[in-house]
Amino acid sequence: MQKELRFDVKDYKLNYLLYLPDSFQQNGSLKWPLILFLHGAGERGGNMELVKKHGVPKIVENQEEFPFIVVSPQCPADSYWVNELESLSALLDEIVREYPIDPARIYLTGLSMGGIGAWHLAIANPKRFAAIAPVCGALSIPEFRREELQIKNNVNQLSVGLKRLKDLPVWAFHGDQDDIVPIEAAQKVIQSLKKQGGSAKLTVYKGVGHDSWTETYENEELYIWFLNQHKIK
């Protein structure tokens, strides 16, 4: 079961879900791996039940034992994850202070808006994560979202920033029929990262549209892969 909590420090405010495995209480002295999950645009707002609709929060909602602590924040209704990078970093700092997290095993994933956010957060914090798994995400932001939220980030500058991730394991996922975030946008990021000498792979789902998250997060191989990645000190 996940707890609904509120992070409110200075100018940083986020509601979030926290999942602790049942065995956490019996093994509180252990250092635990952590997954930070970023949801899509449809789950923004003030209803935390929306965050449980897809991805890791859906998977763990009815599981007593999942081998990670999971933090799933909710983006405000009038915002976008790329506008909340400082809040996400501050929340992560708080979680690491309050819980026995293994700093060498902090993982980042997200879908759609959250997949975009995962790329941007990793570039902003290149030494923080042991691995990232963006799902139907890219560096570019759909034009209608840029206009809606007045996002002015420089994607070319972010592309240059990919060199910061050359030592970070990346496993991205995308449907080849995605009409929201075109697969070409994801392929461009992966190719750019490989040119920088990065370790990145892209799984493409044939005949799948924007919902590449269902198959991804139901695949146990993703979580095994996470656990096999450790941040180099």
Side-chain angles (χ1 to χ4, degrees):
M1 187 63 69
Q2 299 171 93
K3 299 178 183 177
E4 297 184 10
L5 299 170
R6 174 75 171 169
F7 175 65
D8 189 342
V9 175
K10 297 182 180 179
D11 294 329
Y12 306 127
K13 297 174 175 58
L14 288 172
N15 295 323
Y16 67 98
L17 297 173
L18 176 68
Y19 170 83
L20 300 174
D22 274 8
S23 58
F24 175 82
Q25 300 300 334
Q26 296 135 26
N27 299 286
S29 61
L30 294 179
K31 292 290 187 179
W32 287 80
L34 170 71
I35 293 178
L36 176 63
F37 170 80
L38 305 181
H39 63 71
E43 292 77 67
R44 293 175 296 173
N47 180 359
M48 293 301 292
E49 290 301 312
L50 292 175
V51 182
K52 302 176 186 178
K53 282 178 61 177
H54 304 298
V56 184
K58 179 182 178 182
I59 296 296
V60 303
E61 177 63 10
N62 296 309
Q63 286 199 29
E64 295 179 354
E65 208 52 53
F66 185 70
F68 303 84
I69 290 174
V70 181
V71 174
S72 305
Q74 185 173 45
C75 186
D78 59 351
S79 190
Y80 207 74
W81 282 131
V82 297
N83 292 337
E84 301 292 336
L85 300 184
E86 289 186 3
S87 294
L88 290 169
S89 294
L91 170 62
L92 200 48
D93 288 341
E94 175 84 358
I95 296 298
V96 170
R97 277 195 301 268
E98 295 297 323
Y99 296 91
I101 304 298
D102 183 349
R105 294 188 294 164
I106 298 176
Y107 309 105
L108 172 63
T109 186
L111 63 90
S112 191
M113 176 187 76
I116 294 170
W119 280 114
H120 286 242
L121 185 61
I123 289 172
N125 300 271
K127 303 297 184 182
R128 178 129 226 188
F129 303 102
I132 66 170
V135 180
C136 55
L139 282 183
S140 56
I141 298 166
E143 190 60 35
F144 72 97
R145 295 293 186 197
R146 295 176 65 87
E147 294 174 358
E148 171 195 353
L149 299 164
Q150 298 182 333
I151 297 170
K152 297 183 173 64
N153 67 302
N154 187 326
V155 173
N156 291 329
Q157 186 177 9
L158 286 166
S159 296
V160 173
L162 280 174
K163 64 183 179 182
R164 302 177 191 169
L165 306 185
K166 70 180 185 65
D167 297 321
L168 179 68
V170 175
W171 189 1
F173 302 82
H174 223 100
D176 68 353
Q177 301 300 309
D178 194 327
D179 60 354
I180 304 296
V181 181
I183 188 170
E184 291 80 9
Q187 290 170 329
K188 182 178 179 180
V189 180
I190 296 298
Q191 290 165 2
S192 296
L193 190 52
K194 286 183 175 180
K195 286 180 181 178
Q196 300 282 358
S199 172
K201 59 181 179 177
L202 173 64
T203 292
V204 177
Y205 300 118
K206 300 294 184 182
V208 173
H210 195 46
D211 179 6
S212 48
W213 54 80
T214 298
E215 186 168 351
T216 297
Y217 290 114
E218 289 180 354
N219 185 357
E220 186 179 354
E221 290 301 313
L222 171 62
Y223 309 107
I224 293 172
W225 179 79
F226 270 153
L227 290 173
N228 284 331
Q229 313 306 317
H230 292 71
K231 188 174 68 174
I232 299 173
K233 296 181 179 179

